[in-house]
Amino acid sequence: MSESPFRGVIPPVIIPLNEKRQLDLEALDRSVNRMIDAGVDGLFFLGSSGEVAFLTDAQRFHVLQEAVSIVNGRVPVMAGIIDMETMRVVDQAKRAAGFGVDALVATAPFYALGGPKETERHFRAIREHTDLPLFAYDLPVCVHTKLDPSMLVRLGEDGVIQGVKDSSGDDVSFRWLILENEAVGHPLQLLTGHEVCVDGAYLAGADGSVPGLANIDPYSYVEQWRAAQAGDWERVKELQDHLARLMWVTRHVKATVGFGAGVGAFKTALWQMGVFNTNQMREPVAPLTGEDVDHIVEILVAEGMLEK
């Protein structure tokens, strides 16, 4: 069993806003403490669920400052350093390190798109400028580059990266990554970004999960991880079925698509549950209203997350 601190359930933290689209510190404190009290193994700030693509640098660093303060060393803090090109990412890495985070998470570059050679060099260049553990974030739907499993394992063997957060949705590639990683001694911590197929990833040998839905139901994800560690696969599947049904909060949003439907549904659920004070989104995304809210409430009630 790996001794790395980056294993288990590490939710990507959804950031609450007030009506003026400013950081709601009261709600952030409540949400972070709720997840820690549920037993999560770490927290990932400034990922896709944290609306990192919509934040100015000042807003990013404000989130990290407050996040590290609230967590106060109770669990490891991972920070997204996601930007268009390598030296912009390096700058994000240096600043994030200054706030005392425990690990960094970077995607491939996503503006002047290169090929495999440039992508590999990107991660090696980041390593030259930081001593913190570095995770590669495989997110082709947003950055338009799929990270090759063999390249990732090579970077792991060379000590460039220490893990992978896989949000590619490509379960075949992730399975191959697990096999290649094991074949060379498990240099990488492999975390699935799935909400709905976490059970399969654990069965294949994943080291943990980074599910946005864990903001809503951290208890079930924590119990699922512990059941997997105990080999209770019947309970793992039972919990996954509940979580898959809970994920339906995102399925039938009518007002919008993309972040507005996904993160928007998560924020709406947290708002209706009393964890957040609003379901406000970052510009230019509007919060969900009307029948979309009603649909989300119906699912929360059906899955025992909200009383009628």
Side-chain angles (χ1 to χ4, degrees):
M1 183 177 294
S2 171
E3 296 301 321
S4 170
F6 306 105
R7 62 193 305 273
V9 180
I10 306 175
V13 178
I14 297 168
I15 303 300
L17 304 175
N18 61 26
E19 295 290 354
K20 296 182 179 180
R21 289 190 164 97
Q22 297 170 337
L23 180 62
D24 186 338
L25 285 175
E26 176 197 28
L28 181 63
D29 183 89
R30 184 162 54 237
S31 184
V32 166
N33 280 299
R34 177 173 175 264
M35 288 187 280
I36 292 176
D37 290 345
V40 301
D41 301 283
L43 292 166
F44 171 35
F45 293 88
L46 301 184
S48 301
S49 295
E51 298 171 286
V52 65
F54 301 91
L55 302 181
T56 66
D57 283 354
Q59 289 169 333
R60 291 187 186 200
F61 303 139
H62 185 206
V63 167
L64 288 183
Q65 180 181 36
E66 299 296 345
V68 171
S69 176
I70 293 169
V71 173
N72 194 27
R74 289 176 289 171
V75 296
V77 170
M78 304 177 77
I81 51 168
I82 297 162
D83 218 315
M84 292 184 295
E85 292 302 325
T86 301
M87 295 315 295
R88 291 179 62 86
V89 174
V90 166
D91 184 62
Q92 295 284 337
K94 291 178 179 178
R95 296 190 182 214
F99 288 102
V101 304
D102 299 294
L104 305 172
V105 184
T107 67
F110 52 85
Y111 190 82
L113 295 175
K117 183 187 301 183
E118 290 78 15
T119 298
E120 181 167 347
R121 175 58 195 156
H122 171 72
F123 288 105
R124 292 185 183 277
I126 298 170
R127 169 53 60 215
E128 291 170 4
H129 292 275
T130 183
D131 294 324
L132 285 175
L134 176 64
F135 279 65
Y137 189 175
D138 196 4
L139 190 65
V141 69
C142 291
V143 306
H144 309 295
T145 297
K146 176 73 182 75
L147 300 179
D148 175 65
S150 297
M151 178 199 72
L152 292 170
V153 171
R154 182 165 61 250
L155 291 173
E157 287 187 283
D158 291 348
V160 174
I161 62 174
Q162 285 62 54
V164 177
K165 177 188 183 293
D166 185 275
S167 295
S168 67
D170 186 340
D171 290 334
V172 173
S173 178
F174 189 59
R175 187 62 173 264
W176 285 339
L177 175 59
I178 290 171
L179 292 172
E180 290 190 46
N181 190 48
E182 287 302 313
V184 297
H186 203 120
L188 298 172
Q189 292 297 105
L190 303 180
L191 309 174
T192 178
H194 262 307
E195 278 89 4
V196 176
C197 302
V198 177
D199 53 350
Y202 287 166
L203 187 60
D207 296 294
S209 60
V210 190
L213 191 65
N215 287 260
I216 298 172
D217 188 0
Y219 311 98
S220 292
Y221 279 108
V222 169
E223 184 183 352
Q224 183 189 46
W225 168 249
R226 292 175 181 173
Q229 295 302 289
D232 186 354
W233 295 105
E234 182 176 350
R235 183 58 177 158
V236 170
K237 180 186 181 301
E238 183 180 12
L239 287 162
Q240 188 63 76
D241 287 345
H242 153 68
L243 292 163
R245 291 189 298 266
L246 185 59
M247 190 65 178
W248 289 348
V249 295
T250 67
R251 282 187 65 188
H252 302 296
V253 173
K254 296 180 179 179
T256 186
V257 297
F259 278 94
V263 176
F266 289 165
K267 284 196 174 189
T268 300
L270 290 164
W271 168 49
Q272 291 297 303
M273 293 165 61
V275 180
F276 283 12
N277 296 316
T278 77
N279 65 339
Q280 185 63 270
M281 300 287 288
R282 295 283 183 183
E283 287 284 15
V285 184
L288 299 179
T289 59
E291 63 179 326
D292 284 332
V293 176
D294 295 340
H295 162 72
I296 289 166
V297 168
E298 288 176 7
I299 293 168
L300 293 173
V301 170
E303 292 305 311
M305 302 304 298
L306 189 66
E307 294 183 2
K308 290 185 179 180

